[in-house]
Amino acid sequence: TMLPLLLLLLPAAHAIVELSYRPALTQTPRLEGQVTASTFVLDQPRCVFQKYNTTDIWLVVALDKAASTFNNTAAPGTSETAFQRFPNSVSAYMTLNATLANYPCPKPAEDIAVLRVGSETSCVRDETRPSCNGPLPGPGPYRVKFLALQGSEPVAETKWSTPITLKEAKPPSKISTTDRGHSAGMIAITTILSILFAILLAGLVAMLVFWGSDSCGSSSTFSKPESVTVRRYNTHHVYDQPAARL
């Protein structure tokens, strides 16, 4: 008679406290890249796990369609929750483990209390680091939640976030080569510049032709100067005089 009672009490002994906090994309002003093609930025869970100051706090990242089937008893750092197997054979992975000291409460005014999910690239293929915070493999959508573990025992968790969809890069075939907002102006400017360039080029060619013809005409007016012949005159009267008279 005691065995059925113990079986009923066993799940209650391992019940996980669900907190009211729901992770969300940060709204921190002037923070660029809130959502990119492979990352997104969350607010840190400040003042959420204050009653669990000896726990390790993990972030669970799951595909939207698989969030409800995540096994809370799955241990972090194993093949069952490894980033390298996501999303092919693992529908959710665990990353960004921290202690409560990393999430002080209240938040210091100078702190930027955010977490960028997907920011590590060096461990993407390193299976010795199953908790890698690697780039997300597609647009998603994804859901995330924070899970507090006492050793290997889950003791508290937040709610799942709303679906988070990443940006998608446009294929080259769909990238417009014209800007609709400036196409008319750009065409007009291009046309004017083309006309001005043609006029300038025509003027340059005409100038070169003029200079060439002018130099040829000037050279034809010069003629070789005639040679000057100097006749030699002999003073005959000098030679006719007798030598004795000299």
Side-chain angles (χ1 to χ4, degrees):
T1 58
M2 294 296 295
L3 183 59
L5 182 60
L6 290 174
L7 292 176
L8 289 174
L9 293 175
L10 187 59
H14 294 282
I16 302 175
V17 177
E18 184 178 84
L19 306 172
S20 61
Y21 180 79
R22 189 184 299 276
L25 293 174
T26 184
Q27 300 300 317
T28 301
R30 300 184 301 277
L31 182 65
E32 297 182 0
Q34 181 195 62
V35 175
T36 70
S38 61
T39 69
F40 57 87
V41 182
L42 301 172
D43 283 323
Q44 292 181 0
R46 299 291 182 97
C47 305
V48 175
F49 293 96
Q50 295 306 108
K51 295 181 181 179
Y52 308 93
N53 54 10
T54 60
T55 61
D56 291 323
I57 303 167
W58 290 81
L59 177 70
V60 182
V61 182
L63 293 173
D64 177 32
K65 60 184 179 182
S68 60
T69 63
F70 174 71
N71 180 11
N72 284 332
T73 63
T78 64
S79 59
E80 190 178 358
T81 57
F83 167 81
Q84 288 78 13
R85 297 175 181 268
F86 180 81
N88 298 325
S89 59
V90 168
S91 58
Y93 67 95
M94 300 175 69
T95 186
L96 291 175
N97 63 305
T99 64
L100 199 60
N102 298 114
Y103 302 135
C105 178
K107 180 183 80 67
E110 68 277 5
D111 280 8
I112 299 178
V114 297
L115 297 172
R116 182 173 291 277
V117 181
S119 61
E120 291 186 79
T121 57
S122 60
C123 55
V124 171
R125 301 183 185 278
D126 186 358
E127 295 192 1
T128 64
R129 294 183 60 191
S131 59
C132 174
N133 180 30
L136 295 160
Y142 303 96
R143 287 180 185 263
V144 298
K145 73 174 179 179
F146 291 98
L147 179 63
L149 300 180
Q150 187 70 56
S152 60
E153 187 75 18
V155 294
E157 65 178 356
T158 66
K159 296 180 180 296
W160 285 103
S161 69
T162 57
I164 299 172
T165 302
L166 304 186
K167 294 182 178 180
E168 291 189 74
K170 290 184 178 181
S173 59
K174 293 186 178 181
I175 298 177
S176 176
T177 57
T178 60
D179 187 347
R180 294 181 181 179
H182 301 83
S183 58
M186 291 300 295
I187 292 174
I189 292 174
T190 303
T191 303
I192 294 173
L193 290 176
S194 299
I195 294 173
L196 291 176
F197 179 75
I199 294 174
L200 180 63
L201 184 61
L204 182 62
V205 171
M207 188 177 297
L208 291 174
V209 171
F210 175 77
W211 284 350
S213 61
D214 185 64
S215 61
C216 292
S218 299
S219 61
S220 62
T221 60
F222 290 99
S223 59
K224 183 179 180 181
E226 294 182 0
S227 58
V228 178
T229 303
V230 179
R231 295 182 179 181
R232 182 177 181 181
Y233 293 91
N234 294 323
T235 53
H236 298 283
H237 64 280
V238 174
Y239 293 104
D240 292 339
Q241 294 179 3
R245 295 181 180 180
L246 296 178

